[in-house]
Amino acid sequence: MNEKIRFGELFEQAIEYPDVDYSERFNRLVGLDLEKEHLTKVLGLLVNPKGLSEWIDKFHNGAQNIKDIVLRRPPLIMMAGDVGSGKTELAMTIGDAVARQEDINITLLPLSLTTRGQGRVGQMTKLISKAFEYTLEKAKKLKGEIGKSRGAVILLVDEADALAQSRENAQMHHEDKSGVNAFIRGVDSLGNGKFPVAVIMCTNRHGAFDPALIRRATEVFYFKRPDINQRWKVLGPLLKELGIMEKDIKYLAELTGNTDNRDYGFTYSDLLQRLIPAIILSAYPTKAVSSEMARRITKDMIPTPVFKEN
């Protein structure tokens, strides 16, 4: 039980912010302006509470109780929503925006799915516990004695329902329940010392989370498929570069929404990773993209089905 656990068993490759590439990816997330702004504020307070102190001193001098209530919240953020709704990409890139806003360096630690272990008794619990211990130790080194933090850490848990399902499930294995207990203890350990750290959990199945974790969440962000205005913001700048007229772009934005044959529209991933490349490839390398071609491709493409919780 005392064998050394390698970094790669706990996390995917760490990401350091600020980073130009992630800044560009963050800026390309159009149609999520409100989520981006609010999440940047929330994470900014969690990883660097000095900003809140400065705001209180400037506008509400002496409001110590308010400050304590805000800063005592667990450093846990949940991002839930349908597949392809942009939550994971936002979680991967938000650290750059926060690093620039707070003028600090931030490390993102994406939790590896191998932390679920291979079914051996106690393995998942040990790996989850070690991941939180590593995160906490790194955050402790970044906490400033006075003033703002010297840096911050964000622990990202994608497909989080795989690790944190409700313990109320009668068919849940004992090992899985122990893993959820370890996860809850880990979240609590990060919140006890007001360290510059936050946990982001992403899921398609918010209803599968253990209630104890939902209660601990500082914020829960719900992501939906883009509406017509958001689809316009995604498609407009890209299709204009291909010479598509504005009236035709508007029609394509409508085509990618609900239709008579389906009650759901395209996801952000459908628009950017499937539709735009398909339009380009239909013309490349012998001719230019046309509005007629774009309409045909859009009509023929079937968007990703809606994820439904059991």
Side-chain angles (χ1 to χ4, degrees):
M1 291 296 291
N2 293 323
E3 73 273 13
K4 188 174 181 180
I5 298 177
R6 295 178 293 105
F7 180 90
E9 294 181 77
L10 303 176
F11 308 104
E12 307 294 345
Q13 184 176 0
I15 299 169
E16 302 291 338
Y17 309 111
D19 181 279
V20 173
D21 290 339
Y22 281 91
S23 177
E24 292 176 353
R25 285 171 58 176
F26 179 78
N27 291 332
R28 285 200 296 268
L29 279 170
V30 298
L32 295 173
D33 296 341
L34 292 178
E35 291 86 350
K36 290 163 71 173
E37 179 182 2
H38 189 52
L39 183 57
T40 302
K41 285 184 180 181
V42 172
L43 273 174
L45 290 180
L46 290 176
V47 303
N48 187 29
K50 182 175 182 286
L52 179 64
S53 299
E54 292 175 344
W55 176 80
I56 286 176
D57 290 343
K58 182 176 181 178
F59 295 104
H60 303 283
N61 193 27
Q64 185 63 38
N65 291 332
I66 292 294
K67 176 173 143 183
D68 289 343
I69 287 174
V70 173
L71 295 183
R72 271 204 308 265
R73 299 188 300 171
L76 174 62
I77 293 171
M78 290 183 174
M79 300 171 67
D82 200 359
V83 294
S85 55
K87 57 187 181 300
T88 299
E89 180 68 2
L90 180 55
M92 289 289 295
T93 59
I94 190 66
D96 182 85
V98 177
R100 295 174 191 276
Q101 172 184 279
E102 303 299 324
D103 193 25
I104 58 175
N105 293 325
I106 294 178
T107 301
L108 180 76
L109 298 175
L111 192 68
S112 173
L113 286 179
T114 59
T115 51
R116 287 180 290 185
Q118 285 81 43
R120 296 198 293 270
V121 175
Q123 185 187 34
M124 181 170 69
T125 299
K126 181 179 179 181
L127 291 171
I128 291 174
S129 299
K130 285 295 182 182
F132 276 99
E133 287 175 17
Y134 181 94
T135 303
L136 179 58
E137 288 304 312
K138 189 171 182 64
K140 282 181 177 179
K141 296 175 183 177
L142 298 172
K143 182 180 180 181
E145 295 300 323
I146 57 173
K148 78 175 187 179
S149 304
R150 295 188 295 275
V153 184
I154 298 175
L155 175 62
L156 172 60
V157 188
D158 199 9
E159 299 182 26
D161 50 276
L163 290 172
Q165 291 188 42
S166 174
R167 292 164 296 177
E168 297 173 353
N169 185 346
Q171 273 126 29
M172 192 176 194
H173 191 276
H174 172 73
E175 173 68 3
D176 294 327
K177 289 184 179 180
S178 297
V180 176
N181 288 334
F183 201 100
I184 293 171
R185 289 195 300 271
V187 170
D188 289 343
S189 72
L190 298 182
N192 289 338
K194 296 182 181 177
F195 300 113
V197 63
V199 180
I200 299 178
M201 302 175 70
C202 297
T203 182
N204 301 327
R205 304 172 59 224
H206 179 256
F209 274 146
D210 191 273
L213 274 171
I214 296 175
R215 288 196 301 270
R216 283 167 168 77
T218 292
E219 296 278 350
V220 180
F221 291 82
Y222 294 98
F223 291 76
K224 299 179 180 179
R225 298 191 178 213
D227 60 25
I228 188 168
N229 291 324
Q230 291 167 322
R231 296 194 300 273
W232 169 272
K233 287 182 179 180
V234 172
L235 296 174
L238 299 172
L239 294 178
K240 284 179 181 177
E241 290 183 0
L242 298 174
I244 305 297
M245 301 293 290
E246 191 162 321
K247 62 180 179 62
D248 294 316
I249 297 174
K250 181 179 179 182
Y251 181 60
L252 292 175
E254 293 172 351
L255 279 180
T256 51
N258 296 6
T259 68
D260 294 336
N261 298 322
R262 62 172 190 267
D263 58 359
Y264 57 91
F266 282 48
T267 68
Y268 284 105
S269 296
D270 290 333
L271 297 174
L272 291 170
Q273 297 176 20
R274 297 177 61 213
L275 180 59
I276 294 296
I279 290 173
I280 292 170
L281 289 173
S282 67
Y284 176 85
T286 59
K287 53 190 173 183
V289 170
S290 68
S291 296
E292 181 183 357
M293 185 186 304
R295 287 195 300 270
R296 176 175 53 80
I297 296 293
T298 303
K299 286 180 179 179
D300 290 343
M301 184 170 288
I302 300 174
T304 304
V306 175
F307 182 88
K308 295 181 180 180
E309 292 193 38
N310 294 324

